[in-house]
């Protein structure tokens, strides 16, 4: 005999559990979507970028300041230098002009004394007194001439005055002056009038540079022209000495004008003095006024203060800028931390966990090692939340996180995936045993009481573990397998751990195969068939209807039980499509076979599909079939937590005339409550009661009570799974109106069922 529980619930058993709840599939799907293989540490900028960005910003500001201020400073300095250079040029011109004027004046004064008939006559007459008064001492007194020498026609000095005194003419050193005298006589030999002839130039006299001017003492009237060689010459010497420089300095307004030896290194501006033949005689040096620099020096303190203030202001601005950049970087780091960490516990969150998992898998591969993935689910956590409040729940989660943290090594990752789910990545395990040991330690640690304020709470945990690469190297696949192991642990009674094994793997593989093939099946709408199990009146001969049961013969896996493939179809969202196919096939058969009533099983997910009721009503219209001939079988599972839409759909179906049977009646926790709340037309007594009839007295009493209850509520009753004559008789004795079971007829293929319908009622053999 086949043991059957409430068949539309997933079967849970550590080894054989094959269902993945939608919620857990969500984990897996998200894992695929989120993974990019990188470790989400703080952004590079957040660690190094803060200061780096700050430095960049500061450099930018400095550059802006430099670009705007540097040209200003450059322009200012250029202006200062230009002003200085212009002033120096002016000084030089002034000095040169003053010297030029001085020379020109000495030419004029000499002309005024020498170009006279009397002068020519008196010199020839060697009237020394007159010469003194008019040509030499007089010139010293009136014009400051330093020295005067008179030369005869042979260039022999016959009168000499120096600094206002007559000196011995024979002692005059002619070495420097001869060239001037010769040049003068050469000019006199030329076409120029003697009165227009003079020679002037610089030379060294008694060791000092001096301006020498030579002129013939000529007749004013030019009455009796003399041959060039016959002229007497007047030599005037003006030494460039202290007195000359003092006057020059006063006239040109330059400071500290002085004469230095040629090539002497002296700071300041300079004018070189050279003799007629180009020999250096000395250098005039003075301190240039440099008004630009002077102005700069004057305003420098003020300017410095201003610049310092500006610099301080810019510095303060920059400091603020740096601080804001740092703050920004810090807040970015915080945001990133939040994005990858759980706020409540500070543990890595799912996003971080997925990346760590990928990294651990990669390392595992590179090092040829092993790692374990543990999924931890708290049992009874909801109780803590419900009874002690959310704050206590939060505190408990934090304590769990801390306990887990203490159990693992530094290289392990503890993450909170959400709610009361945690995960641990345990790299470097030798095998399943290592992983199991950690899981056991976790179980023990979580079992210890939690102090939550004045209260103490006890929770348990269930752990699913998978070892890689033994059972996969893909993160998504491993999560799925750890999930399978976790639900295996829960199914085995909570407070346990379960390590994923190959057997479970086989279940998963098979399930996956069914998944893909189901989709193909439904796309082609072929491959499914319906079996029809007759429902008999209690007399066992009259067929009152039939239950349609879906069948699928898989090309490789063989005949599959609906218990196996229907939950898969529902998980993958194929429930409505499969349900629609069954509904149509069942109704068409009912019409074709002229069956009074066809009963169709509808699972909760099919029923909750918003289009379900319309699909059924449209189908009946389409087939022109009376709704009274259709019965749908629902389970208590649908009515548990039934929402308004479910209640409305039920009412609508019943209002249309379709009857509703409550399948597996008696197996749910509070069947009677539902009967009270939701109106149905029939109850189907579950075969577990029927099979125990006659064996246990209490069962007999319960079944009798169910039948009486149905009668009292005016509900139809079918007893399911009648396998023996004894059961039949017992039911008949209790007044059960209709029966269904192998004793009367197994589910039959359509043709066989048609044949059964066609057979005369009396001839219907009761099969055992
Ligand atoms: P169920 O609704 O309780 O259907 C009755 C199940 O009990 C059928 O198994 C049937 O073959 C079996 N059965 C009938 N009489 C006896 C008996 O005397 N003894 C024993 N041991 N078993 C008996 P089946 O066809 O394998 O269907 C299993 C379950 O699959 C059904 O349980 C139903 O929940 C589900 N199912 C089947 N077809 C469909 C369908 O088209 N749609 C939906 N949603 N569920 C279906
Ligand atoms: Ca049923």
């Amino acid at each position: 005999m086949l043991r059957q529980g409430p068949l539309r619930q997933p079967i849970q058993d550590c080894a054989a559990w094959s269902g993945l709840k939608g919620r857990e599939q969500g984990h897996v799907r998200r894992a695929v979507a989120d993974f990019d293989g990188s470790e989400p540490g703080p952004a590079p900028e957040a660690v190094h970028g803060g200061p780096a960005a700050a430095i960049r910003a500061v450099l930018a500001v400095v550059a802006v300041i430099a670009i705007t201020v540097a040209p200003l400073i450059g322009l200012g300095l250029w202006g200062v230098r230009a002003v200085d250079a212009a002033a120096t040029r002016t000084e030089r011109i002034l000095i040169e002009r003053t010297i030029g004027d001085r020379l020109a004046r000495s030419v004029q004064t000499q002309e005024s004394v020498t170009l006279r008939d009397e002068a020519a006559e008196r010199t020839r007459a060697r009237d020394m007194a007159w010469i003194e008064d008019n040509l030499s001492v007089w010139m010293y007194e009136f014009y400051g001439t330093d020295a005067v020498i008179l030369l005869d026609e042979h260039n022999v000095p016959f009168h000499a005055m120096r600094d206002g005194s007559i000196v011995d003419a024979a002692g005059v050193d002619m070495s420097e002056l001869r060239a001037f005298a010769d040049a003068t006589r050469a000019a006199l030999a030329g076409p120029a009038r003697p009165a227009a002839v003079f020679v002037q130039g610089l030379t060294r006299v008694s060791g000092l540079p001096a301006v020498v001017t030579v002129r013939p003492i000529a007749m004013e009237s030019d009455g009796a022209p003399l041959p060039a060689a016959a002229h007497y010459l007047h030599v005037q010497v003006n030494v460039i000495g202290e007195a000359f420089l003092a006057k020059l300095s006063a006239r040109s307004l330059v400071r500290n004008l002085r004469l230095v030896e040629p090539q002497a290194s002296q700071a300041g501006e300079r004018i070189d003095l050279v003799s007629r033949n180009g020999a250096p005689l000395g250098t005039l040096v003075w301190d240039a006024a440099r008004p630009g620099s002077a102005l700069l020096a004057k305003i420098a303190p003020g300017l410095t203060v201003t610049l310092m203030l500006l610099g301080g202001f810019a510095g303060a601005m920059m400091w603020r800028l740096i601080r804001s950049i740092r703050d920004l970087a810090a807040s970015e780091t915080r945001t990133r931390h939040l994005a990858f960490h759980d706020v409540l516990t500070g543990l890595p969150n799912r996003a971080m966990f997925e990346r760590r998992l990928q990294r651990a898998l990669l390392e595992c591969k590179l090092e040829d090692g092993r790692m374990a993935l543990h999924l931890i689910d708290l049992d009874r956590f909801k109780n803590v939340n419900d009874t002690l409040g959310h704050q206590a729940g939060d505190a408990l989660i934090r304590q769990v996180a801390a306990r887990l943290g203490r159990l693992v090594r530094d290289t392990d990752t503890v993450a909170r995936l959400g709610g009361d789910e945690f995960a641990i990545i345990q790299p470097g395990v030798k095998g399943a045993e290592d992983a199991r040991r950690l899981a056991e330690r976790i179980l023990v640690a979580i079992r210890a009481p939690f102090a939550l304020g004045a209260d103490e709470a006890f929770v348990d945990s269930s752990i699913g573990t998978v070892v890689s690469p033994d059972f996969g190297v893909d993160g998504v696949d491993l999560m799925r397998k750890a999930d399978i192991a976790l639900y295996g642990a829960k199914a085995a009674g909570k407070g346990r751990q379960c390590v994923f094994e190959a057997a479970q793997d086989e279940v998963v593989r098979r399930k996956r195969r069914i998944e893909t093939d189901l989709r193909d099946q439904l796309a082609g709408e072929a491959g499914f068939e319906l079996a029809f199990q007759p429902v008999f009146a209690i007399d066992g001969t009259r067929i009152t209807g039939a239950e349609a049961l879906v069948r699928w013969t898989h090309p490789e896996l063989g005949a599959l039980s609906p218990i196996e493939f229907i939950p898969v179809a529902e998980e993958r969202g194929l429930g409505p499509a499969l349900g629609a196919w069954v509904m149509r096939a069942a109704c068409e058969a009912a019409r074709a076979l002229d069956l009074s009533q066809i009963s169709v099983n509808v699972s909760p997910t099919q029923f909750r599909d918003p289009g379900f009721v319309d699909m059924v009503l449209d189908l009946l219209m389409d087939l022109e079939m009376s709704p009274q001939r259709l019965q749908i079988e629902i389970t208590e599972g649908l009515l548990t937590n039934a929402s308004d839409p479910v209640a409305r759909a039920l009412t609508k179906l019943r209002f249309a005339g379709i009857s509703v049977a409550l399948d597996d009646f008696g197996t749910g926790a509070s069947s009677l409550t539902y009967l009270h709340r939701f109106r149905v037309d029939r109850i189907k007594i579950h075969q577990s009661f029927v099979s125990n009839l006659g064996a246990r007295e209490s069962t007999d009493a319960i079944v009798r009570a169910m039948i009486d209850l149905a009668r009292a509520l005016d509900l139809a009753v079918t007893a399911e799974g009648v396998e023996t004559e004894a059961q039949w008789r017992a039911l008949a004795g209790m007044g059960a109106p209709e029966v269904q079971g192998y004793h009367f007829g197994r589910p039959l293929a359509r043709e066989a069922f048609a044949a059964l319908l066609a057979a005369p009622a009396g001839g219907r053999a009761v099969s055992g």
Side-chain angles (χ1 to χ4, degrees), residues 601-615:
N601 293 284
V602 177
S603 67
T605 39
Q606 286 168 16
F607 193 92
R608 289 196 193 101
D609 182 52
F612 175 72
V613 173
D614 286 343
M615 182 274 287

Side-chain angles (χ1 to χ4, degrees), residues 8 547 549 601 633 663 684 720:
R8 280 157 232 163
E547 178 175 357
L549 296 158
N601 293 284
E633 299 191 6
D663 212 356
K684 293 187 80 175
E720 279 187 292

